[in-house]
């Protein structure tokens, strides 16, 4: 098969995957946001777009958040998932529409990434089934539609592509996979802090596992590529790490709702079947779990195959199975001693977040199981995705927010005041620690409303100057100010 034919075949499979995941995209067609974090992403995207349009290419400080006093959101929260949506905003699409398209693209990209990795390991059929298995995994749908996890979804895409590229970098003496490993690692670090916290150790572990297959000499290149990716993204994660003490970062893990000790799940929940959905309920009980269909296929993959398996397939079958088991155990109370002994894990907040990489590794195993099954009965191939769709249906009924228009800065201040989500965060966790008392939400509203249409307000109150001092010139931008003051005596 020529390279051109090979590429066209992959493109065709990408289209087939896109059609196959349409049921999983169905809630996006409503045109409304959803999930616990849906509105947070909405306001962050609007603020980022405003800053970039003003010429601030990487705004660590968003001046209109924090009731208009400013908030260091992107000094601590990875922003890449929002940058990916900016071109859609520049084309004139509302932020709400851009976000919905972002979710759809992320789900499709995740499916394609898993296909590429699965196809390399277990063949084309295994790759396609793995793609469907990850998208219709109950936890993935829960993360998207119940939590509104845009950043975590894109981070899982980069984690998958980085693992796929790292394997190719060890199997082939080619520069392309090394570049992919570097860029994938950098993108992971710039997309979602918690997924990076879980994902980097998993990637390092996977590379050392591959060392057993390809030899010790092959490990150097992907590890260096991974280190280079960390270096490329250090402009974000290094300040976020070193400047934790400047903000109320403890709000991320001290409140009971965010404390890992109160967020483990039980074995029953891990293996729970679909539950009927009652849209009339305010607090829907949506289980976080592993799907029965991928689990069944993964178990079938351990049955007799009637031939001697290649060494890499046998090794990956063991490694992926152990990974699913280990990641699943991290969600259960039995892993509490490990959580207590690894302080960085507290930032993960919810142990069930480990179901994201568990769903990924289980999907690959399901792809292998399906490939084995279809060798015996090809007719069963179309029934496998159908079973996944039917099992996943009850995870496709999110609670929608009212339709949102792109907010002006005064609207964002009112949103923070009404929702309690200061700085477009759940707990105001990046509030500077020097703030002893939160200001009134209405303190700057009159200035903002008087500053239309650009909504750039003066940041120095002349009344705060000492007697005899006066402002001669004042020029303000979003995150800058030039002020000339005349005073008969020095003052601070």
């Amino acid at each position: 098969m020529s390279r051109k034919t090979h590429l066209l075949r992959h493109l065709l499979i990408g289209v087939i995957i896109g059609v196959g995941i349409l049921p999983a995209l169905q809630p996006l067609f409503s045109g409304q946001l959803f999930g616990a974090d849906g509105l947070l992403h909405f306001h962050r995207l609007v603020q980022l777009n405003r800053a970039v349009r003003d010429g601030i290419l990487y705004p660590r400080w968003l001046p209109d958040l924090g009731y208009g006093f400013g908030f260091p959101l992107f000094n601590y929260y990875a922003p890449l998932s929002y940058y990916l949506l900016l071109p859609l905003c520049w084309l004139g699409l509302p932020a709400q529409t851009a976000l919905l398209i972002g979710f759809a693209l992320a789900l499709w990209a995740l499916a394609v990434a898993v296909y590429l990795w699965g196809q390399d390991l277990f063949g084309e059929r295994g790759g396609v089934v793995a793609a469907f298995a990850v998208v219709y995994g109950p936890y993935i749908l829960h993360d998207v539609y119940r939590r509104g996890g845009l950043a975590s979804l894109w981070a899982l895409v980069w984690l998958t592509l980085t693992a796929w590229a790292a394997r190719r970098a060890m199997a082939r003496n080619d520069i392309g996979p090394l570049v992919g490993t570097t860029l994938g690692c950098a993108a992971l670090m710039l997309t979602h802090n918690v997924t990076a916290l879980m994902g980097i150790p998993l990637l390092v572990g996977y590379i050392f596992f591959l060392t057993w297959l390809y030899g010790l000499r092959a490990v150097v290149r992907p590890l260096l590529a991974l280190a280079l990716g960390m270096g490329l993204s250090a402009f974000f994660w290094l300040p976020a790490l070193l400047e934790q003490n400047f903000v109320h970062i403890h709000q991320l893990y001290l409140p009971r709702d965010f404390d890992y000790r109160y967020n483990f799940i039980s074995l029953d929940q891990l293996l729970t079947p679909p539950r009927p959905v009652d849209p009339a309920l305010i607090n829907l009980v949506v289980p976080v779990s592993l799907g029965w269909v991928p689990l069944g296929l993964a178990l079938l993959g351990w049955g007799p195959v009637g031939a001697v398996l290649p060494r890499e397939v046998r090794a990956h079958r063991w490694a992926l199975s152990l990974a699913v088991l280990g990641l699943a155990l991290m969600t259960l109370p039995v892993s509490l001693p490990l959580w207590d002994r690894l302080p960085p894990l507290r930032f993960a907040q919810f142990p069930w977040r480990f179901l994201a990489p568990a769903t990924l590794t289980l999907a690959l195993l399901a792809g292998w199981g399906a490939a084995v099954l279809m060798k015996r009965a090809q007719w069963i191939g179309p029934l496998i995705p159908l079973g996944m769709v039917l099992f996943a249906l009850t995870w496709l009924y999110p609670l929608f927010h009212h339709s949102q228009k792109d907010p002006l800065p005064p609207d964002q201040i009112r949103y923070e005041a009404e929702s309690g989500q200061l700085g477009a965060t759940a707990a105001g966790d990046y509030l500077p620690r020097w703030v002893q008392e939160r200001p009134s939400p209405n303190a700057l509203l009159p200035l903002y409303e008087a500053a239309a249409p650009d909504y750039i307000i003066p940041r120095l109150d002349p009344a705060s100057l000492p007697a005899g001092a006066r402002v001669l010139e004042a020029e303000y931008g979003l995150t800058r100010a030039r002020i000339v003051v005349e005073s008969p005596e020095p003052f601070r």
Side-chain angles (χ1 to χ4, degrees), residues 3-40:
R3 188 171 182 178
K4 182 177 180 181
T5 304
H6 189 68
L7 178 60
L8 288 174
R9 186 171 181 84
H10 278 319
L11 289 174
L12 176 61
I13 290 174
V15 173
I16 292 172
I17 290 173
V19 173
I21 67 171
L22 282 177
L25 307 183
Q26 180 269 328
L28 302 175
F29 303 149
S30 70
Q32 295 172 275
L33 292 176
F34 43 76
D37 293 344
L39 292 181
L40 295 180

Side-chain angles (χ1 to χ4, degrees), residues 127-478:
V128 171
V129 172
F132 290 132
V134 74
V135 169
Y136 289 107
Y139 177 78
I140 299 300
L141 296 177
H142 174 275
D143 192 42
V144 171
Y145 293 120
R146 182 62 177 169
R147 301 191 66 246
L150 178 69
S152 56
L153 183 61
W154 274 112
L156 201 59
V157 174
W158 309 133
L159 176 62
T160 306
L161 289 175
T162 306
W164 168 68
R167 180 201 160 274
R168 287 202 157 198
M170 296 190 73
R172 307 178 181 186
N173 188 18
D174 190 0
I175 191 66
L178 289 173
V179 173
T181 304
T182 296
L183 296 181
C185 176
L188 172 62
M189 297 299 297
L190 293 172
T191 300
H192 192 237
N193 307 25
V194 174
T195 306
L197 176 67
M198 298 184 295
I200 294 299
L202 291 173
L203 286 171
V204 172
Y206 183 57
I207 288 173
F208 278 109
F209 157 73
L210 291 173
T211 304
W212 178 64
L213 291 172
Y214 295 107
L216 191 59
R217 294 181 61 184
V219 74
V220 176
R221 292 175 298 162
L223 283 181
L224 287 177
L226 212 61
L228 182 57
M230 296 285 289
L232 289 176
S233 57
F235 70 90
F236 163 71
W237 62 262
L238 199 56
L241 184 65
L242 297 180
E243 297 174 4
Q244 293 180 49
N245 292 334
F246 296 167
V247 293
H248 291 217
I249 199 76
H250 59 275
Q251 293 294 338
L252 278 173
Y253 54 81
L254 282 187
R256 184 186 177 99
D257 285 352
F258 302 137
D259 189 333
Y260 65 85
R261 291 171 293 182
Y262 302 101
N263 285 290
F264 287 103
I265 61 176
S266 67
L267 186 59
D268 287 346
Q269 290 174 293
L270 186 65
L271 302 174
T272 190
R275 295 183 180 180
V277 176
D278 185 355
L281 295 177
I282 295 176
N283 294 311
L284 290 175
V285 179
V286 182
V288 288
S289 63
L290 295 171
W292 287 7
V293 178
L295 276 171
L297 289 171
L299 291 174
L300 283 174
W302 279 94
V305 295
V308 177
L309 294 178
R311 181 168 177 256
E312 186 175 37
V313 171
R314 285 185 282 115
H316 271 87
R317 187 172 62 169
W318 272 106
L320 293 170
S321 298
L322 292 174
V324 172
L325 179 62
L327 292 166
L329 287 175
M330 289 296 292
T331 71
L332 304 175
V334 69
S335 65
L336 178 59
L338 186 59
W339 284 81
D340 288 339
R341 284 169 175 75
L342 295 175
L345 282 179
R346 64 188 179 182
F347 290 104
Q349 301 170 313
F350 312 112
W352 39 258
R353 277 179 156 157
F354 276 89
L355 286 178
T359 300
L360 170 60
T361 49
L362 179 62
L364 291 167
L365 281 173
W368 166 245
V372 171
L373 185 61
M374 284 187 281
K375 284 182 180 179
R376 302 172 185 172
Q378 291 190 10
W379 59 269
I380 206 168
L383 298 180
I384 294 174
L386 179 61
M388 293 176 180
V389 172
L390 293 176
F391 188 91
L393 283 179
T394 60
W395 279 271
L396 295 174
Y397 289 85
L399 292 177
F400 293 103
H401 300 291
H402 295 297
S403 291
Q404 306 290 319
K405 294 182 179 179
D406 286 10
L408 299 172
D411 302 322
Q412 291 186 298
I413 293 173
R414 295 187 185 97
Y415 162 76
E416 288 180 291
E418 293 168 2
S419 66
Q421 295 178 322
L422 184 69
T425 62
D429 22 277
Y430 307 135
L431 184 69
R433 65 178 175 85
W434 298 277
V435 179
Q436 301 299 317
E437 183 179 346
R438 292 190 183 187
S440 166
N442 300 317
L444 299 182
L445 268 178
L447 289 176
Y448 269 100
E449 289 170 341
D454 59 11
Y455 295 99
I456 296 176
I457 66 171
R459 296 292 177 174
L460 174 66
D461 182 5
S464 67
L465 298 177
R470 62 194 183 98
V471 176
L472 299 182
E473 297 178 37
E475 178 187 350
Y476 296 98
L478 268 183

